[in-house]
């Protein structure tokens, strides 16, 4: 059993995709005449299946917005109890009592138990009396785009992979990495995650807090890459021009082929090659 929702739109498109958790797979197919977005999960019931069923598709001209509800969201307040297997996790007044730490992940004020997001930014988001079972399912978004399309992704924790070339790629994530092929314009920001893009042809604006930034071939005229904890690796080509800036706080900077550019680099605890 599974749950699925699909939408098709004509021609090259500007796709705005919002999904909190799961995985995003994008294929830019030059032979495709239509955009196809498929949101699916192996679960046939529960919060994840409900999120798939409640996904909204909105078209306006050459723009398509896809909004997948947060499959981990719930109420706040009172004492919340989460049961995982034989262990009980209770939350109240900021105190977390656990029978075991197995299956629990704590990061930056967020807590996941058994794959479920229980605490977000220090606030309990699990519903009163929530019980976390075993097979909860994961949301996957599969996208096929015609050539000359653009993509905007907003996510909390979804990993994103793009195969093929886009006009514009905008990526905003809290805990999620981006791997993409070729883009003319790249704008990427992630707190915990890496950015790996094969080719940037015009403009580059990428930043991470904990994660690396790698650009395989930079042909642009204006570029900036910043990371706090992570490295920056950029290979500029003879087609590149203008200014290129690379900055890290704790990390190594490697910029190749940039002798003809207005290059600015800086690192606090790291090396510049």
């Amino acid at each position: 059993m599974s749950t699925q929702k699909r939408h098709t739109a004509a021609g090259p498109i500007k796709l705005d995709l919002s999904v909190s958790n799961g995985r995003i797979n994008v294929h830019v197919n030059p032979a495709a005449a239509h955009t196809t977005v498929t949101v699916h999960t192996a679960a046939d019931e529960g919060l994840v299946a409900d999120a798939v069923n409640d996904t909204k598709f909105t078209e306006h001209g050459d723009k398509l917005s896809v909004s997948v509800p947060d499959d981990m969201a719930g109420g706040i307040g009172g004492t919340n109890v989460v049961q995982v297997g034989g262990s009980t996790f209770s939350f109240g007044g900021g105190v977390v009592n656990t029978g075991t730490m197995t299956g629990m992940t704590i990061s930056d004020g967020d807590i996941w138990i058994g794959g479920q997001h229980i605490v977000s930014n220090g606030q309990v988001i699990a519903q009163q009396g929530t019980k976390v079972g075993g097979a909860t399912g994961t949301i996957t978004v599969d996208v096929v785009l015609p050539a000359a399309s653009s993509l905007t992704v907003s996510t909390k924790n979804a990993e994103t992979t793009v195969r093929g070339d886009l006009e514009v790629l905008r990526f905003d994530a809290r805990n999620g990495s981006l791997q993409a092929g070729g883009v003319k314009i790249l704008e990427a920001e992630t707190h915990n995650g890496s950015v790996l893009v094969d080719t940037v042809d015009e403009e580059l604006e990428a930043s991470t807090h904990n994660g690396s930034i790698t650009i395989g071939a930079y042909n642009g005229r204006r570029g900036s890459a910043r990371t706090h904890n992570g490295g920056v690796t950029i290979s500029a080509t003879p087609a590149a021009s203008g200014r290129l800036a690379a900055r890290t706080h704790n990390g190594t900077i490697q910029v190749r082929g940039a002798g003809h550019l207005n290059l600015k680099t800086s690192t606090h605890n790291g090396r510049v090659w």
Side-chain angles (χ1 to χ4, degrees):
M1 298 294 291
S2 62
T3 306
Q4 175 179 291
K5 201 165 185 180
R6 176 176 292 175
H7 185 86
T8 300
I13 207 162
K14 297 174 182 176
L15 175 61
D16 190 338
L17 175 60
S18 175
V19 55
S20 291
N21 310 289
R23 179 148 197 92
I24 301 169
N25 303 309
V26 180
H27 178 207
V28 184
N29 182 3
H34 294 82
T35 293
T36 303
V37 181
T38 305
V39 183
H40 59 98
T41 179
D44 57 0
E45 61 180 10
L47 293 176
V48 176
D50 290 345
V52 172
N53 285 325
D54 292 339
T55 296
K56 293 183 179 180
F57 300 91
T58 305
E59 274 193 73
H60 185 71
D62 65 345
K63 297 180 180 179
L64 171 62
S65 296
V66 180
S67 178
V68 184
D70 190 345
D71 55 300
M72 304 299 183
I76 300 176
T79 299
N80 296 266
V81 177
V82 180
Q83 294 180 349
V84 184
S87 299
T88 298
F89 302 80
S90 62
F91 303 84
V95 178
V96 180
N97 302 306
T98 67
T100 174
M101 290 299 290
T102 302
M104 174 182 281
T105 301
I106 302 175
S107 174
D108 266 350
D110 288 2
I111 299 176
W112 290 264
I113 299 175
Q116 295 284 347
H117 203 174
I118 305 302
V119 176
S120 177
N121 294 322
Q123 293 183 309
V124 176
I125 62 173
Q127 291 180 328
Q128 186 85 8
T130 294
K131 293 186 177 181
V132 181
T136 57
T138 300
I139 291 177
T140 300
V141 182
D142 291 323
V143 179
V144 176
L145 292 172
S149 293
S150 297
L151 173 66
T152 298
V153 173
S154 300
T155 182
K156 288 182 182 178
N157 307 305
E159 300 294 312
T160 300
T161 301
V162 180
R163 291 182 296 146
D165 297 337
L166 289 167
E167 294 292 300
V168 179
L169 174 56
R170 296 183 174 93
F171 179 74
D172 186 359
R174 178 173 174 79
N175 303 305
S177 294
L178 170 66
Q179 184 173 345
V183 299
K184 287 185 179 179
I185 298 174
L186 174 66
E187 296 176 6
E189 182 175 359
T190 177
H191 187 79
N192 297 312
S194 298
V195 174
L196 173 60
V197 179
D198 292 341
T199 306
V200 176
D201 286 334
E202 293 183 6
E203 297 180 16
L204 164 66
E205 183 72 31
S207 66
T208 73
H209 187 79
N210 300 309
S212 61
I213 298 172
T214 304
I215 308 299
Y218 174 71
N219 306 309
R221 60 179 183 271
R222 182 174 61 198
S224 173
R226 306 181 307 277
T227 178
H228 189 80
N229 299 310
V232 173
T233 302
I234 301 174
S235 295
T237 72
S241 62
R243 180 176 178 177
L244 176 62
R247 299 181 176 89
T248 74
H249 187 80
N250 302 307
T252 298
I253 296 175
Q254 298 183 61
V255 180
R256 307 181 184 95
H260 61 297
L261 301 179
N262 179 7
L263 178 64
K264 304 293 183 183
T265 62
S266 66
T267 180
H268 187 72
N269 298 309
R271 297 173 60 190
V272 178
W273 290 7

